[in-house]
Amino acid sequence: MTAPTAVADAEGDLIVCREGAAGFIRLNRPKAINAMTYEMSQGIDAALDRFEADPAVAVVILEGAGERGLCAGGDIRGLYESSKAGGDLGKVFWRQEYLMNARIAKFPKPYIAFMDGLVMGGGVGLSGHARHRVVTEKTKLAMPEVGLGFFPDVGGTWLLPRSPGEIGTFFGLSGQTMNGPDAVFARFADAVVPSARLPALREALTAVRPDISSSEVDRIIAGFATGETSGPISARKADIDRWFAGDRMEDIFGELRRDGSDFAQSTLKLLNEKSPRGMVVTLKLLRLGRRAASLEECLVREYRAALEVFRSDDFREGVRAAVIDKDRNPRWSPPRIEDVTPEMLAPYFREIGADELVF
């Protein structure tokens, strides 16, 4: 393997380097499962600038340091503290992050995400919009934001509605975890590669020609892949399609209550733990996302909703229960989906004037 060149901030939270023909972006907070900070997001943007302009870089590879995962999401604790103090980190952080998500989706060179281990929330934003998305037998991919009084953002409302049937609705509302093959089935990933083969794939990608095409990158990845295209959730698709077809949370809960199967009841239990307001907002965003013409359209809508979430008691309560106090006993407001009114929903979908996200 070619020795790394032009290493930037090798001891910091982000390592940017070139190895042969590959530009590497390595998230480097292994103790925090590489949770992304605002500064890391800025650094990724700068790395993309550099690699796009460098003719010696044929492909860009995203990876995470450590054994636990690519990225556990955004810096939730920092956002919580800012929200409590009436600060503006949410406004600044999410603007930077969402613009970066859209840029990744349109990056002109092959951008390859190694989605080994845990990939959650903001980690999906970094990898799910990549042109080439590699998962492994260790992958645990999830968008659990509804359990924090939030919704699946970072373009999740574009990706989830493009899963087969209502699979994306199920994953978005339940926060349930996908394994590698189910991530391929749900169209969040493209190929399953055994984790033991990632170093060899990595080395092969550093040796490519400067003008390599995306189809040629696909062929290289396929040479290391298992060919798996579905996991355990795919076998439940018919049930999930029936349960999650409704456009109101009350309809989804009703379908699950009428079904006596263990899977329906365990799903109902999961949903009962989530923020009622978060679920209603999420379902509406997913249905709007299904009709959206572009990722950018969804990100504009997500940014409006995210700023409202940042001001909400539910977000602070969800983070408190899951991350701060860890008592796993959030007190949602309101406590029931039946109590979520149109007046409560309206601010999440309102235009925000000068603060709008602009691409």
Side-chain angles (χ1 to χ4, degrees):
M1 185 178 291
T2 306
T5 61
V7 174
D9 194 18
E11 299 302 319
D13 292 343
L14 195 70
I15 297 174
V16 177
C17 64
R18 182 168 65 82
E19 298 180 19
F24 282 88
I25 299 172
R26 185 176 308 128
L27 309 181
N28 192 40
R29 297 182 70 206
K31 289 182 180 178
I33 320 180
N34 302 313
M36 190 175 62
T37 64
Y38 174 66
E39 291 76 17
M40 288 168 72
S41 179
Q42 288 182 305
I44 291 167
D45 249 343
L48 293 176
D49 283 341
R50 174 175 140 193
F51 292 149
E52 185 174 349
D54 188 346
V57 172
V59 299
V60 174
I61 298 174
L62 174 76
E63 60 185 7
E67 302 296 320
R68 298 166 70 192
L70 171 66
C71 178
D75 182 15
I76 292 294
R77 187 179 287 269
L79 289 164
Y80 167 82
E81 296 294 348
S82 181
S83 177
K84 270 187 69 177
D88 65 352
L89 180 60
K91 180 178 178 179
V92 174
F93 179 84
W94 286 317
R95 178 180 294 277
Q96 164 64 32
E97 185 178 27
Y98 296 178
L99 291 172
M100 178 188 62
N101 298 149
R103 183 178 186 187
I104 287 168
K106 291 188 171 179
F107 194 69
K109 296 180 180 181
Y111 176 105
I112 305 145
F114 284 179
M115 302 162 74
D116 194 30
L118 200 66
V119 184
M120 297 176 72
V124 176
L126 292 173
S127 57
H129 305 298
R131 204 176 307 176
H132 309 276
R133 304 165 299 178
V134 176
V135 288
T136 75
E137 77 284 357
K138 296 179 181 178
T139 296
K140 293 180 179 178
L141 189 153
M143 301 206 78
E145 290 86 351
V146 180
L148 298 174
F150 198 29
F151 60 86
D153 66 331
V154 297
T157 66
W158 169 259
L159 292 169
L160 288 163
R162 279 150 189 82
S163 296
E166 299 296 341
I167 290 290
T169 313
F170 165 75
F171 279 122
L173 290 170
S174 71
Q176 191 65 287
T177 300
M178 310 177 201
N179 67 6
D182 265 331
V184 174
F185 178 75
R187 300 174 189 160
F188 274 70
D190 303 300
V192 181
V193 173
S195 58
R197 302 202 73 190
L198 283 182
L201 172 58
R202 192 181 189 278
E203 190 158 1
L205 290 167
T206 66
V208 299
R209 300 187 330 273
D211 61 344
I212 191 166
S213 68
S214 282
S215 59
E216 290 173 296
V217 171
D218 281 335
R219 283 195 289 274
I220 291 171
I221 293 170
F224 294 85
T226 65
E228 295 168 275
T229 58
S230 61
I233 291 296
S234 64
R236 300 282 194 173
K237 181 179 179 299
D239 288 333
I240 288 170
D241 285 353
R242 186 174 72 256
W243 299 334
F244 286 86
D247 292 336
R248 301 186 320 134
M249 282 308 306
E250 292 90 337
D251 298 333
I252 291 171
F253 270 82
E255 289 291 336
L256 289 165
R257 289 189 187 108
R258 281 188 286 274
D259 191 302
S261 68
D262 289 344
F263 184 56
Q265 296 312 301
S266 65
T267 301
L268 190 60
K269 183 176 183 297
L270 271 177
L271 295 183
N272 275 317
E273 296 168 357
K274 311 301 181 191
S275 159
R277 189 186 314 214
M279 284 188 288
V280 175
V281 169
T282 294
L283 184 59
K284 183 169 181 178
L285 285 168
L286 292 178
R287 295 302 186 241
L288 290 169
R290 183 171 282 172
R291 304 194 296 269
S294 67
L295 167 62
E296 287 85 351
E297 180 186 330
C298 289
L299 288 168
V300 166
R301 209 157 27 229
E302 288 178 12
Y303 190 64
R304 294 170 182 169
L307 296 191
E308 187 63 26
V309 165
F310 194 65
R311 292 187 284 265
S312 75
D313 292 336
D314 257 20
F315 175 66
R316 290 186 288 271
E317 177 62 10
V319 177
R320 181 206 63 76
V323 179
I324 308 301
D325 297 339
K326 298 182 180 178
D327 60 21
R328 307 290 171 184
N329 186 32
R331 294 177 291 276
W332 301 120
S333 176
R336 306 183 312 150
I337 54 169
E338 294 84 358
D339 298 328
V340 180
T341 66
E343 292 73 24
M344 288 177 189
L345 282 187
Y348 293 85
F349 298 90
R350 196 174 285 148
E351 294 183 7
I352 53 177
D355 285 334
E356 291 283 12
L357 196 63
V358 178
F359 293 93

